[in-house]
Amino acid sequence: MEKETRIERTRTFAWEDPMRLMEQGKAMSGFEYLKAIQHGTLPPPPIACLIGMELVEVEEGRVVFTGRPAEYHYNPLGTVHGGVAATLLDSAVGCAVHSKLPLGVWYTTIELKINYLRPLTAETGTVYAEGKVIHVGGRIATAEGKLIDAAGKLYAHATTTCLVMRS
């Protein structure tokens, strides 16, 4: 049996030291941190470059990411992989929570529920993932999100539960 040649993955995106960026982020509220990413003062995380998403709106308790489904997002069935929609929605709902957190307070997703309503394709065009906070408490936060196209057609919606953590 012939041995397979494995291709080693190389770093594709130049991103500053994540620990240094986290330290910068700890000096800001969640809202300030997200605004810095939106305005380019801080770089977007590599996942944004990989998926092709952009943080376009940031308010306290609400954020919007855009993405443009492409053929390279396709699964074997010829539609955009559900993980792309999940990533857009997880980012939107999580960052909506982050936008409400004060200095020194972070979050992590502990649950994400998505309902897929129709497939995304390269012909869908730009989609908008909007996340809105439902509740932020001392330990738990919840948010909801929707994924729509430019005409307002709903492709998926989601809810999240996040764990709130203090430094």
Side-chain angles (χ1 to χ4, degrees):
M1 183 173 191
E2 192 174 309
K3 186 177 178 181
E4 287 185 32
T5 304
R6 297 197 77 130
I7 299 173
E8 295 296 320
R9 185 166 59 140
T10 60
R11 191 168 195 156
T12 315
F13 300 103
W15 196 49
E16 297 180 42
D17 178 13
M19 296 310 289
R20 189 170 67 77
L21 287 173
M22 277 189 64
E23 289 304 315
Q24 288 176 322
K26 286 181 180 179
M28 301 176 197
S29 69
F31 177 76
E32 293 167 333
Y33 186 72
L34 293 168
K35 287 301 261 186
I37 292 172
Q38 180 191 19
H39 293 140
T41 309
L42 290 176
I47 189 68
C49 300
L50 178 67
I51 298 295
M53 65 183 188
E54 183 179 354
L55 180 58
V56 295
E57 293 182 42
V58 178
E59 302 170 18
E60 287 196 20
R62 180 183 170 273
V63 301
V64 177
F65 282 88
T66 60
R68 187 165 181 89
E71 188 175 316
Y72 63 85
H73 293 130
Y74 277 22
N75 61 29
L77 301 175
T79 59
V80 172
H81 190 282
V84 174
T87 300
L88 284 161
L89 283 165
D90 185 40
S91 298
V93 294
C95 288
V97 166
H98 196 185
S99 73
K100 295 285 284 181
L101 300 180
L103 178 80
V105 180
W106 291 81
Y107 77 97
T108 190
T109 302
I110 57 175
E111 184 268 339
L112 179 68
K113 166 70 169 92
I114 299 176
N115 292 291
Y116 299 98
L117 305 177
R118 54 181 48 88
L120 293 169
T121 69
E123 288 74 41
T124 302
T126 300
V127 292
Y128 303 83
E130 178 185 34
K132 291 182 178 179
V133 166
I134 297 170
H135 169 78
V136 177
R139 298 281 296 165
I140 298 293
T142 58
E144 61 188 358
K146 61 183 179 178
L147 186 66
I148 61 171
D149 67 12
K153 184 186 290 185
L154 186 63
Y155 285 79
H157 56 93
T159 57
T160 191
T161 304
C162 296
L163 177 65
V164 176
M165 303 173 291
R166 283 157 176 69
S167 304

